[in-house]
Amino acid sequence: MHQIGVLDTYIVLMLPFMISAFGIFLIHQFALGIPVDLIDSGRMDGAGEFSIYWKIVMPNLKPALITLLILTFIMSWDSLLWPLMTIQGMELNTVPLGLLWFTQYQGQLVIYNE
């Protein structure tokens, strides 16, 4: 990440979670369940390949895409190690990093003041 110059940016936080083997498998398996008759009926109506993809396939993939979005968000939300290695400043800290900082530094200050 240092070599491509994206350290300490939002891109470095999102990049590892954008493409996953689980996501490809989930969408592929869900797409196999779309009936071929729907695609053939689109062709018979005179729709082009992009129109078939955008108006028939994508609406049928919405449940799988929403599921993948939720699961990816949960995985990235709980990530501690990746942001810890790639974020250097305090302005891009994630919630787990903020909690880690709070318990390590602020918690010790409160204990020592008692």
Side-chain angles (χ1 to χ4, degrees), residues 65-109:
L65 291 172
I66 291 171
T67 302
L68 182 62
L69 176 79
I70 292 169
L71 291 175
T72 303
F73 176 76
I74 291 171
M75 277 192 323
S76 65
W77 182 266
D78 287 341
S79 178
L80 174 70
L81 189 60
W82 181 252
L84 188 62
M85 291 188 308
T86 57
I87 299 300
Q88 298 165 356
M90 293 291 290
E91 59 274 351
L92 292 179
N93 271 356
T94 59
V95 173
L97 278 181
L99 289 173
L100 179 69
W101 179 83
F102 182 75
T103 58
Q104 283 185 349
Y105 298 108
Q106 296 294 351
Q108 290 177 0
L109 292 174

Side-chain angles (χ1 to χ4, degrees), residues 7-67:
L7 277 181
D8 216 16
T9 62
Y10 286 114
I11 294 173
V12 78
L13 291 174
M14 294 184 288
L15 197 61
F17 301 105
M18 285 182 169
I19 299 174
S20 67
F22 173 73
I24 293 170
F25 176 75
L26 177 71
I27 300 299
H28 179 262
Q29 290 301 112
F30 200 84
L32 288 178
I34 297 174
V36 178
D37 296 337
L38 284 175
I39 297 171
D40 289 340
S41 67
R43 285 192 183 113
M44 289 177 65
D45 286 341
E49 292 298 317
F50 182 75
S51 180
I52 290 171
Y53 173 73
W54 192 251
K55 294 181 180 177
I56 297 173
V57 175
M58 284 304 288
N60 285 313
L61 286 179
K62 276 185 185 177
L65 291 172
I66 291 171
T67 302

